[in-house]
Amino acid sequence: MIARPSRAGSGIGDALSSIPMEWLLRAVLGGGCAVLMYLAWPVASGAVEAQKADRVMFDLRTRQPLKLPAVLAAMQALDRAVDADPVAGRRLKRAELLAGAALATVLPVSNEQRASWLKKAEADLEFGLANDPARGIAWAQLASVRQALYGASANVVSALLMSIDTAPMLNVLWPPRLQLIFDNWRFFTPEERERVVAHVAQTWRLSTDRRWFAESIRSPIDELFLRHALGDDQNAQDELEKLIRGVRKK
């Protein structure tokens, strides 16, 4: 008698072999798609919510009039976007809106509300920049937020220097940077002062419209700083003098 091979332990293999390969592939692909959908859903959901704030963000960036209901709705949308997908980019976008709204004096909100928005913006900026530090604009925003919350300090200087290091020639940032330099000058170390003076001088040389230098001056000390940065370039000194006279005539 010939012993028949035992079928014990081969039940699963036999069951699988009885299923057409097409159905196995469908099951595998279906499972993979389900996993991808599960992983991608927070990203997609966050993107959809973030888009709801785009109109207000555009108005903020182009200095259009802001309306409080629209700003609050945009903040709520970005809160949902961050909850769904709390990545650096989402939190930096929310920080930009929070800081912009807090510093927009036309919005009818209390000082307590402005401070709350600024503190939330500070937390978002610190988180976002820790994960994506090559953001010159966001570093400048952090410097401005810290200035608004706590006044002039070494913490403002550290964020300001990071902004200059990561985006040294981004002209749109230099007017607010110069204001922050003036306000926080006493908190720079001697080495940092040399760096900043060199950057301001280079920005002057590369600028085609230099009126904003004169418009940034609010005191004799501010003017003295600029004249120091321009050094022995007599043409630059003369041009700055003309620009200052032009501003004072307005």
Side-chain angles (χ1 to χ4, degrees), residues 1-249:
M1 180 181 293
I2 300 176
R4 295 181 179 179
S6 171
R7 300 180 63 87
S10 63
I12 295 176
D14 288 345
L16 289 175
S17 65
S18 67
I19 300 175
M21 184 57 65
E22 177 184 356
W23 289 101
L24 287 175
L25 290 174
R26 288 183 180 180
V28 171
L29 290 173
C33 289
V35 172
L36 289 175
M37 286 293 293
Y38 176 78
L39 295 175
W41 174 249
V43 177
S45 176
V48 170
E49 293 296 339
Q51 286 178 351
K52 296 177 182 178
D54 285 351
R55 179 63 207 184
V56 172
M57 296 298 297
F58 175 82
D59 290 342
L60 176 65
R61 292 166 180 168
T62 57
R63 299 186 179 182
Q64 301 298 314
L66 298 176
K67 296 182 179 179
L68 185 58
V71 169
L72 295 176
M75 287 180 180
Q76 292 171 357
L78 288 176
D79 285 343
R80 293 191 295 270
V82 170
D83 289 342
D85 187 26
V87 295
R90 296 267 187 270
R91 295 192 65 172
L92 290 175
K93 184 174 182 179
R94 183 172 68 177
E96 181 181 356
L97 176 59
L98 288 165
L103 299 175
T105 57
V106 296
L107 292 178
V109 296
S110 65
N111 289 335
E112 290 76 11
Q113 181 63 76
R114 294 181 192 280
S116 176
W117 286 345
L118 285 170
K119 288 177 182 178
K120 191 173 180 179
E122 182 185 30
D124 279 348
L125 285 162
E126 290 175 346
F127 175 90
L129 288 167
N131 289 275
D132 189 4
R135 300 264 195 149
I137 293 176
W139 282 112
Q141 290 169 348
L142 180 58
S144 296
V145 166
R146 287 176 174 173
Q147 171 94 3
L149 279 171
Y150 314 115
S153 70
N155 286 332
V156 175
V157 169
S158 62
L160 177 59
L161 290 174
M162 284 298 297
S163 175
I164 294 172
D165 288 343
T166 52
M169 300 313 303
L170 194 56
N171 288 341
V172 70
L173 287 180
W174 270 104
R177 278 176 179 165
L178 192 56
Q179 293 286 348
L180 290 168
I181 290 168
F182 290 156
D183 291 341
N184 293 272
W185 184 244
R186 68 186 184 276
F187 293 102
F188 287 86
T189 66
E191 295 79 9
E192 290 168 346
R193 290 181 178 182
E194 290 182 9
R195 286 171 54 196
V196 167
V197 166
H199 278 297
V200 171
Q202 183 180 28
T203 303
W204 171 277
R205 289 193 298 271
L206 297 177
S207 296
T208 56
D209 184 353
R210 300 180 174 121
R211 287 174 295 180
W212 63 268
F213 283 91
E215 291 168 351
S216 299
I217 294 174
R218 295 165 298 175
S219 72
I221 295 176
D222 295 348
E223 181 180 345
L224 183 63
F225 169 86
L226 280 178
R227 292 194 177 280
H228 170 64
L230 298 180
D232 297 330
D233 187 338
Q234 191 57 49
N235 290 332
Q237 295 285 353
D238 292 343
E239 182 179 352
L240 179 61
E241 180 64 30
K242 291 179 182 178
L243 291 171
I244 291 173
R245 287 202 302 265
V247 169
R248 288 173 180 170
K249 288 180 181 177

